[in-house]
């Protein structure tokens, strides 16, 4: 007899429906799985066999063929254990399920029939809903995540026997629901605040501009000046995530197996802080079947690269195209997948190997050649993609001991939200949501300058020896500063501030 159960596989950040077909026939006892299964899927034979026996059902001593369709797409992971088990029991007529076509089943089985959680449940649940499958059975630990898909009935289960009782109608499982209002109700989700930062007003202003326009930023200064401390507080002034953004970010983290327990959605902006020993594949994604890297895990959030010159040069260069395109395409023999990576890149570095080049309080011990070699690790093309460069000076004792309270993240965030709202209204219909996403074709329309501003920009372009890309970056940053001032036109003061955020080109690299 033949039985068919619906399940789901993963390709990139999306799920695709897999039909688990089981045929049981007379012949020499065997158990074969076809349809491009990987090692984890092939090993499910032993898990399925043991789980069925330990749930007091009979494993058929016949010729069993399992087909995972479509057969031309590689299937990976242990999520097919449950549908294979149910299909075998159905095909062997040990259970009778009339509405099996209405369900999607996913889950890994232990040898005693317990159901274990799997990765990527959210994209699987979304694929079920898109394919008009209204019911899904998942491991209990994955129920929160699956239940965020509205219109889908989620049935959490602990073991194979419980699922059999539900499908046969003997003891139904209650559908699981999520309180969506409570997910976004927590106002203090980051635990850090800009009010903790003493002094550094110029750096906080630069990061406010970066947050308002979605710009990449480089902080350069001596050790202990507060670069990392300030960077960690950047997500607290970014606009709150929308439900659609949360879904997209959650999909990526779910596939990577990084979802916090009992948290159905990621509602805070991601902050990824990889170590400088990271590899190319870990940063942008890779593997036999490509997995998302740190740049994709920071989607709609912040990717912070501390001690930028300490990263391998090829690792830094591989980021250039993803930073421009907002997505990274990874080609392998098994698959070519595209992951989104619309993130803000925030980098920090010392001005030299010892960290005190240009410092007024401590003497630099590096030779000019050592300084040039250290700074040369960051290429010009990558530097051009960093819209804002800001110097971070050592904090003075007077600032540290001051009782004056610095401006809080909530007040800065209010200004950022107003600027973002202006940008969304301005670019309605252009599929642009921040100034950083402006293309060269849009510059003349949205970043138009008067004669005085044009002369100022020309003088800066000639003196600093800027590239065409840097020219466009200055215009984008100036547009953001004007939005923070709620000014329709870019004024000379806005342009001057934007230009001074490129002054490090001349001071350290020229």
């Amino acid at each position: 007899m033949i039985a068919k159960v619906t399940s789901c596989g993963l390709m990139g950040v999306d799920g695709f429906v897999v039909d688990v077909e089981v045929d049981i026939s007379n012949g020499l006892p065997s158990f074969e799985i076809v349809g491009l299964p990987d090692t984890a899927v092939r090993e499910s034979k032993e898990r399925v066999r043991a789980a069925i026996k330990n749930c007091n059902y009979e494993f058929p001593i016949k010729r069993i063929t399992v087909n995972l369709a479509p057969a031309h797409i590689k299937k990976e992971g242990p999520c097919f254990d449950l549908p294979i088990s149910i299909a075998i029991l159905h095909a062997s007529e040990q259970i009778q399920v009339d509405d099996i076509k209405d369900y999607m089943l996913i889950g890994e089985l232990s040898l005693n029939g317990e159901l274990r959680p799997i990765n990527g449940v959210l994209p699987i649940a979304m694929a079920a809903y898109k394919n008009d499958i209204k019911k899904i059975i998942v491991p209990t630990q994955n129920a929160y995540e699956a239940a965020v898909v509205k219109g889908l009935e989620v049935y959490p289960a602990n073991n194979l026997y419980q699922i059999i009782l539900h499908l046969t109608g003997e003891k139904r499982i209650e559908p699981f629901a999520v309180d969506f209002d409570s997910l976004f109700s927590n106002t203090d989700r980051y635990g850090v605040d800009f009010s903790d930062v003493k002094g550094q007003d110029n750096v906080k202003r630069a990061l406010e501009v970066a947050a308002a326009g979605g710009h990449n930023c480089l902080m350069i200064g001596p050790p202990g000046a507060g670069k990392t401390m300030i960077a960690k507080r950047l997500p607290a002034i970014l606009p709150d995530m929308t439900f659609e953004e949360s879904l997209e970010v959650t999909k990526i983290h779910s596939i990577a197996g990084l979802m916090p327990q009992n948290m159905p959605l990621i509602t805070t902006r991601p902050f990824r802080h990889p170590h400088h020993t990271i590899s190319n594949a870990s940063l942008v994604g890779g593997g036999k079947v490509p997995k998302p890297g740190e740049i994709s895990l920071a989607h709609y959030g912040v990717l912070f690269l501390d001690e930028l010159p300490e990263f391998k040069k090829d690792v830094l260069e591989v980021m250039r195209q993803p930073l421009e395109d907002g997505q990274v395409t990874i080609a392998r023999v098994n698959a070519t997948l595209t992951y989104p990576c619309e993130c803000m890149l925030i980098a920090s570095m010392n001005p030299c190997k010892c960290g005190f080049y240009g410092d007024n309080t401590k003497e630099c011990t590096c030779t000019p050649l050592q300084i040039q070699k250290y700074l040369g690790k960051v290429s010009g093309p990558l530097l051009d993609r960093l819209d804002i460069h800001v110097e971070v000076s050592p904090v003075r004792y007077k600032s540290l001991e001051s009782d004056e309270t610095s401006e809080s993240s909530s007040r800065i965030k209010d200004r950022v939200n107003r600027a973002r709202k202006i940008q969304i209204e301005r670019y309605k219909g252009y599929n642009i949501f921040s100034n950083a996403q402006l293309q060269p074709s849009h510059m003349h329309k949205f970043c138009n300058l008067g004669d005085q501003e044009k002369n100022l920009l020309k003088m800066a372009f000639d003196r600093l020896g800027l590239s065409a890309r840097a020219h466009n970056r200055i215009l984008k940053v100036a547009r953001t500063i004007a939005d923070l001032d709620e000014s329709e036109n870019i004024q000379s003061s806005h342009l001057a501030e934007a230009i001074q955020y490129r002054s490090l080109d001349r001071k350290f690299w020229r």
Side-chain angles (χ1 to χ4, degrees):
M1 181 179 172
I2 294 178
K4 185 169 78 171
V5 173
T6 304
S7 188
C8 193
L10 292 171
M11 181 175 288
V13 293
D14 298 312
F16 63 95
V17 172
V18 174
D19 290 327
V20 179
E21 302 169 336
V22 172
D23 175 68
I24 300 179
S25 59
N26 294 324
L28 289 174
S30 64
F31 189 1
E32 297 296 331
I33 299 179
V34 297
L36 285 183
D38 73 347
T39 303
V41 180
R42 287 195 296 268
E43 288 178 347
S44 69
K45 291 187 288 188
E46 301 307 321
R47 293 192 296 270
V48 167
R49 191 193 311 271
I52 289 176
K53 287 182 177 180
N54 290 320
C55 287
N56 297 321
Y57 287 90
E58 182 183 344
F59 187 83
I61 310 300
K62 293 186 177 182
R63 181 179 178 85
I64 303 173
T65 304
V66 178
N67 179 44
L68 305 177
H72 67 284
I73 302 177
K74 191 172 182 66
K75 320 300 186 306
E76 61 170 355
C79 65
F80 300 106
D81 291 4
L82 176 59
I84 290 173
S85 300
I86 296 297
I88 288 175
L89 291 172
H90 194 208
S92 62
E93 300 182 342
Q94 297 184 66
I95 63 173
Q96 184 63 42
V97 186
D98 297 327
D99 59 347
I100 192 67
K101 293 182 180 179
D102 298 337
Y103 287 90
M104 176 178 282
L105 283 73
I106 55 167
E108 177 187 348
L109 288 173
S110 64
L111 298 184
N112 64 355
E114 295 291 324
L115 215 55
R116 289 175 174 161
I118 61 168
N119 295 335
V121 169
L122 178 58
I124 288 173
M126 294 174 71
Y129 183 75
K130 288 178 182 177
N131 286 274
D132 294 325
I133 299 170
K134 303 302 183 184
K135 300 177 181 179
I136 184 171
I137 297 177
V138 300
T140 300
Q141 296 93 323
N142 294 132
Y144 273 96
E145 194 177 331
V148 301
V149 180
K150 297 178 181 178
L152 189 67
E153 291 183 24
V154 178
Y155 296 94
N158 294 312
N159 54 62
L160 178 61
Y161 187 67
Q162 185 182 8
I163 295 168
I164 293 171
L165 293 180
H166 172 81
L167 293 175
T168 56
E170 294 181 45
K171 187 178 180 181
R172 291 288 183 179
I173 301 171
E174 289 297 320
F176 187 86
V178 169
D179 181 7
F180 288 92
D181 294 334
S182 65
L183 295 179
F184 293 88
S185 61
N186 186 7
T187 56
D188 184 20
R189 304 177 195 148
Y190 296 98
V192 291
D193 198 280
F194 264 88
S195 60
D196 302 331
V197 181
K198 300 289 187 178
Q200 305 295 12
D201 292 335
N202 67 314
V203 185
K204 288 189 279 189
R205 168 63 178 178
L207 288 191
E208 178 183 338
V209 173
H215 302 290
N216 301 325
C217 179
L218 170 66
M219 297 181 287
I220 183 166
K227 301 185 293 294
T228 303
M229 181 182 183
I230 295 172
K232 287 182 177 179
R233 281 152 178 77
L234 178 60
I237 65 171
L238 291 174
D240 289 332
M241 293 182 75
T242 64
F243 181 72
E244 291 73 19
E245 288 177 334
S246 291
L247 279 179
E248 200 163 336
V249 171
T250 304
K251 282 167 63 176
I252 299 171
H253 283 72
S254 178
I255 289 166
L258 298 176
M259 284 297 296
Q261 197 169 10
N262 295 330
M263 183 178 287
L265 271 181
I266 292 177
T267 58
T268 56
R269 299 278 175 184
F271 182 85
R272 304 297 298 182
H273 185 185
H275 192 259
H276 61 258
T277 56
I278 192 170
S279 65
N280 291 12
S282 297
L283 185 62
V284 299
K288 285 187 177 181
V289 177
K291 297 294 183 184
E294 290 290 333
I295 196 170
S296 294
L297 293 171
H299 186 49
Y300 290 138
V302 176
L303 175 65
F304 178 49
L305 302 184
D306 201 3
E307 304 297 342
L308 189 65
E310 300 299 334
F311 286 78
K312 297 175 184 175
K313 193 160 188 176
D314 59 329
V315 171
L316 295 179
E317 296 305 304
V318 81
M319 287 196 306
R320 283 160 50 179
Q321 185 178 353
L323 287 176
E324 285 288 313
D325 299 340
Q327 61 182 27
V328 54
T329 301
I330 309 161
R332 296 291 185 270
V333 173
N334 294 322
T336 299
L337 301 177
T338 299
Y339 290 108
C341 57
E342 287 279 358
C343 66
M344 288 177 61
L345 173 63
I346 305 298
S348 71
M349 61 181 291
N350 298 330
C352 65
K353 191 72 176 176
C354 75
F356 298 105
Y357 174 57
D359 196 316
N360 295 325
T361 59
K362 294 186 179 180
E363 185 178 354
C364 174
T365 59
C366 302
T367 65
L369 183 61
Q370 288 175 323
I371 295 171
Q372 192 60 41
K373 185 179 179 181
Y374 181 77
L375 297 176
K377 293 180 180 180
V378 183
S379 68
L382 178 62
L383 192 66
D384 275 348
R385 287 168 170 81
L386 297 167
D387 304 2
I388 295 174
H389 313 152
V390 59
E391 281 189 81
V392 184
S393 303
V395 183
R396 297 185 179 277
Y397 179 81
K398 183 179 179 181
S399 299
L400 290 174
E401 290 299 313
S402 174
D403 293 331
E404 185 179 348
T405 304
S406 300
E407 194 173 26
S408 67
S409 293
S410 59
R411 291 188 62 183
I412 301 173
K413 185 175 181 177
D414 288 340
R415 295 196 295 268
V416 170
N417 281 332
R418 286 198 297 270
R420 285 289 183 106
K421 187 176 180 181
I422 290 171
Q423 293 164 44
I424 290 171
E425 288 294 322
R426 180 193 300 127
Y427 305 131
K428 191 174 291 183
Y430 287 90
N431 197 31
I432 296 174
F433 304 99
S434 66
N435 289 328
Q437 297 175 339
L438 280 172
Q439 299 299 315
S441 57
H442 303 132
M443 302 298 286
H444 181 73
K445 181 175 182 179
F446 298 116
C447 301
N448 196 21
L449 301 178
D451 293 337
Q452 183 179 351
E453 289 75 26
K454 286 180 180 177
N455 291 333
L456 176 61
L457 183 57
K458 181 180 183 300
M459 182 171 62
F461 188 86
D462 293 338
R463 289 190 178 181
L464 295 177
L466 301 174
S467 66
R469 182 182 283 114
H471 169 273
N472 289 345
R473 302 280 175 179
I474 287 174
L475 286 177
K476 292 179 186 180
V477 173
R479 179 68 270 172
T480 299
I481 296 169
D483 291 340
L484 283 169
D485 280 352
E486 300 183 17
S487 171
E488 185 176 348
N489 298 317
I490 298 175
Q491 307 293 337
S492 296
S493 59
H494 306 142
L495 193 61
E497 184 178 351
I499 291 170
Q500 65 96 12
Y501 289 137
R502 304 296 302 192
S503 62
L504 296 183
D505 288 348
R506 176 185 62 187
K507 182 171 182 179
F508 292 106
W509 272 265
R510 305 297 176 190

